[in-house]
Amino acid sequence: MRALMRSLVLMVAATALVCGAAQAQKPGGTLVQITQPEPPNLAPYISTSGPIGQVTAKIFDGLLEYDFDLKPKPGLAESFDVAPDGKTVTFKLRRGVTFHDGKPFTSADVQFTIMEVLKTNHPRGIATFKEVTAVETPDEATAIFKLSNPAPYMMAALSGYESPILPKHVYGTGDIKAHPNANSPVGTGPFKFVEWRRGEFVRLDKNAAYWRQGRPFLDRIVVRFIADASTRTAALEKGEAHIAGFGAVPYNDVKKLAALPSLEVTTKGYEMISPLVEMVINTKKAPFDNVKVRQAINYALDRKFVIDNVWFGFGKAAVGPISSNFEPSGLFGAGVDFAVADRIERANKLLDEAGLPRKADGTRFEMVHDITPYGEEWQRFGEAVQQALATVGIKATLRYEDVAKWLKRVYTDYDYDMSSNFLYNLADPVLGVHRGFHSDRIKKGTVFVNGSQWSSPETDALMDKATVETDAAKRGALYRELVTKVTEASPVIYVHELKFPTIINKQYKNLIDSPLGIYGNYANAYRE
């Protein structure tokens, strides 16, 4: 920890040097970002819907930021100290920081955000801050986290995207889930919310009082929402928009855009996210309450076809809920192999055993597949799934709704059979993986958690042990056992590790300067 503290001091000094050098950059300019689809709200503290963070990460700061090696560096906290037993973490906060309304940022805001908002309302914060029993505030510049058990994973989840710090004086009154500022956010970030024209754009202007002196360089960010895919591609091609990621540009257009001298394409900036494409099954509904039916669907899906023909090669077949990005840390494990040569035969046999024989027309039963409403590739994915299921006698009808209706259907009403989706593994399985099938993540009305409603005491125990296990080898063994059991049960079908391409206008620099990519804050971005 002493070495880490020295590193933080050095990083602060290095940041100061960079700030001085950066003064040579000419300020000004408007960056136009394409985000697809339009976010349902601007409340990242209660929803992790993908498009929200692309906007709000510029508005809210976190206690820490991260380098590409995923190690923390100072944010609203100038430094931190973890006690030897791991049960106390002390953050020294920056002084002189103000929110966009001019009110000062203090430790009371940290206490309110963690204990009253993120710990109880944030879909992933429920896990991140599970062990936090209190946040003490001995003075305005000190926040002391008290934990019931060590939670090293928490230190990887304190960015402005993942754990945005809110002003207590704004969000501290009323129902946080229906707060009037959900669509007019107030933070400490480099850009201030100005307006949201539904169906068109969100405008963010430079925060002239930002705590990083001389930042941001850009005058304005305009986040545009363009429903038509070809129009999004054309906007980048013509220079009317300057950055787009997370599948906002059709994958078949990416290579064409990469050939233009004005644009570049990168897959950098997703290291802290590790998205997995999946299909969530409603295990409380017949016949999906039968594990043989779920396994049959798992066998029926042709992962290679999906990667090659829907995502144009931007992916890698998934073998369980944990991304292979965790292989270097020893936490990766492969589950049941559903991509076997005789997978169709196995699927048919399982469906026969489940008491679902083919009828005269060749079908066994009908179902509805709800498609993720995030773009054309998800519609194509729905069609690919529909075709795959037809080969084993399952007739699937596709349903495509707007984001709000889809989220309510899957996570509040549980009124669905199967839905495509993609979840982020994030920087640790505790943060991104457990929420998919732990019993305590079956939370009606909370999005992107255990929508399948499947769980077991055995897998819960494995996750609980892995959460507090400090021995890396033992922790890896727990996760390998977990992956085997979860894939056997197949409440969720893991399809592929998605490699998002980001298209950037070369005139703009330092846009992707962290492992969060577009979920970064653009404080260092500038127009050449």
Side-chain angles (χ1 to χ4, degrees):
M1 183 51 60
R2 284 194 294 271
L4 178 57
M5 292 300 295
R6 286 197 296 272
S7 296
L8 285 173
V9 170
L10 289 172
M11 279 190 278
V12 172
T15 301
L17 288 172
V18 171
C19 287
Q23 296 306 314
Q25 305 297 348
K26 184 178 179 181
T30 295
L31 174 77
V32 178
Q33 172 181 299
I34 295 176
T35 290
Q36 175 62 28
E38 186 169 10
N41 57 56
L42 297 179
Y45 45 87
I46 57 171
S47 176
T48 54
S49 177
I52 296 174
Q54 295 184 44
V55 180
T56 58
K58 289 76 176 148
I59 299 169
F60 294 104
D61 285 317
L63 290 174
L64 299 174
E65 296 181 359
Y66 301 88
D67 280 324
F68 282 101
D69 60 6
L70 306 188
K71 291 181 179 178
K73 59 182 182 179
L76 287 176
E78 290 183 322
S79 65
F80 66 87
D81 179 70
V82 181
D85 65 359
K87 295 183 179 182
T88 300
V89 185
T90 302
F91 293 93
K92 291 297 182 182
L93 309 178
R94 294 183 186 276
R95 296 181 182 272
V97 177
T98 59
F99 288 100
H100 296 155
D101 60 3
K103 300 291 179 63
F105 156 71
T106 72
S107 57
D109 301 301
V110 177
Q111 181 189 60
F112 163 74
T113 299
I114 302 302
M115 298 305 296
E116 298 185 41
V117 182
L118 301 181
K119 182 176 168 66
T120 56
N121 294 285
H122 189 279
R124 300 191 289 252
I126 295 166
T128 302
F129 303 107
K130 179 182 178 181
E131 302 294 344
V132 180
T133 58
V135 175
E136 297 176 354
T137 56
D139 58 61
E140 291 190 345
T142 306
I144 303 173
F145 286 34
K146 294 292 186 178
L147 288 73
S148 55
N149 291 292
Y153 53 86
M154 182 184 75
M155 305 309 296
L158 298 176
S159 68
Y161 159 68
E162 185 65 18
S163 299
I165 298 299
L166 310 180
K168 181 179 180 180
H169 66 274
V170 174
Y171 294 91
T173 56
D175 180 6
I176 194 67
K177 289 190 174 181
H179 200 277
N181 285 90
N183 294 326
S184 56
V186 178
T188 61
F191 294 92
K192 300 191 293 185
F193 173 80
V194 177
E195 66 173 322
W196 182 0
R197 292 192 190 176
R198 296 278 184 170
E200 297 183 53
F201 65 83
V202 167
R203 174 182 159 184
L204 310 176
D205 281 3
K206 177 178 183 174
N207 175 13
Y210 190 47
W211 52 269
R212 280 191 177 93
Q213 190 173 4
R215 299 296 199 281
F217 298 116
L218 297 171
D219 286 336
R220 183 174 297 109
I221 297 172
V222 176
V223 183
R224 290 184 62 188
F225 315 119
I226 304 172
D228 181 69
S230 60
T231 304
R232 294 196 295 272
T233 299
L236 289 160
E237 199 170 13
K238 296 174 183 177
E240 296 170 358
H242 311 118
I243 185 170
F246 291 97
V249 173
Y251 288 80
N252 57 336
D253 286 348
V254 171
K255 289 184 178 179
K256 178 183 75 172
L257 292 176
L260 297 176
S262 61
L263 299 174
E264 62 178 315
V265 174
T266 182
T267 55
K268 191 176 181 182
Y270 300 98
E271 293 83 355
M272 212 166 192
I273 297 169
S274 296
L276 256 68
V277 172
E278 61 182 33
M279 295 189 297
V280 184
I281 298 174
N282 189 344
T283 63
K284 298 301 182 184
K285 248 181 128 172
F288 310 104
D289 55 348
N290 187 326
V291 65
K292 291 186 176 182
V293 174
R294 301 195 299 268
Q295 290 174 339
I297 294 173
N298 217 335
Y299 277 118
L301 186 69
D302 188 342
R303 289 163 172 79
K304 187 177 188 305
F305 178 87
V306 167
I307 293 169
D308 292 345
N309 295 281
V310 177
W311 273 277
F312 293 88
F314 285 98
K316 176 183 178 182
V319 290
I322 299 179
S323 169
S324 61
N325 285 344
F326 286 102
E327 196 161 10
S329 67
L331 301 182
F332 172 71
V336 176
D337 185 5
F338 289 99
V340 292
D342 63 340
R343 57 186 182 80
I344 298 300
E345 290 81 358
R346 293 194 190 194
N348 279 313
K349 184 174 183 293
L350 285 164
L351 290 169
D352 288 338
E353 292 174 356
L356 296 166
R358 290 182 185 266
K359 300 171 188 173
D361 63 356
T363 64
R364 299 175 185 272
F365 66 90
E366 296 187 19
M367 61 172 287
V368 176
H369 178 201
D370 285 282
I371 304 171
T372 307
Y374 283 5
E376 289 75 11
E377 71 275 8
W378 292 98
Q379 290 177 305
R380 293 198 303 273
F381 177 48
E383 292 164 1
V385 171
Q386 185 181 48
Q387 293 168 11
L389 294 181
T391 64
V392 295
I394 301 173
K395 183 178 179 181
T397 300
L398 304 181
R399 179 164 52 200
Y400 191 90
E401 299 177 311
D402 63 38
V403 175
K405 287 181 181 177
W406 169 65
L407 291 174
K408 183 175 183 294
R409 179 181 295 280
V410 175
Y411 294 104
T412 299
D413 299 335
Y414 300 126
D415 180 24
Y416 77 104
D417 296 331
M418 183 175 75
S419 178
S420 59
N421 200 355
F422 67 100
L423 287 188
Y424 299 156
N425 271 194
L426 301 173
D428 191 280
V430 174
L431 305 176
V433 177
H434 293 196
R435 60 189 167 128
F437 40 82
H438 197 293
S439 296
D440 66 10
R441 310 307 147 77
I442 303 173
K443 294 180 72 70
K444 188 174 184 177
T446 300
V447 301
F448 302 116
V449 288
N450 188 348
S452 75
Q453 304 172 79
W454 176 90
S455 64
S456 80
E458 194 174 12
T459 54
D460 285 350
L462 287 169
M463 286 182 277
D464 292 342
K465 288 177 184 176
T467 297
V468 297
E469 179 57 66
T470 56
D471 184 283
K474 291 179 180 178
R475 195 167 188 239
L478 289 168
Y479 278 123
R480 285 189 290 277
E481 185 178 354
L482 174 72
V483 167
T484 297
K485 292 186 181 300
V486 170
T487 53
E488 282 176 351
S490 293
V492 178
I493 295 171
Y494 302 99
V495 184
H496 69 99
E497 300 174 11
L498 183 55
K499 306 295 183 185
F500 282 121
T502 299
I503 299 88
I504 304 171
N505 188 301
K506 291 181 180 178
Q507 191 179 14
Y508 290 81
K509 307 297 182 182
N510 287 352
L511 290 172
I512 307 300
D513 64 351
S514 84
L516 288 168
I518 292 178
Y519 286 148
N521 62 20
Y522 293 168
N524 298 316
Y526 64 94
R527 185 179 66 182
E528 192 173 51

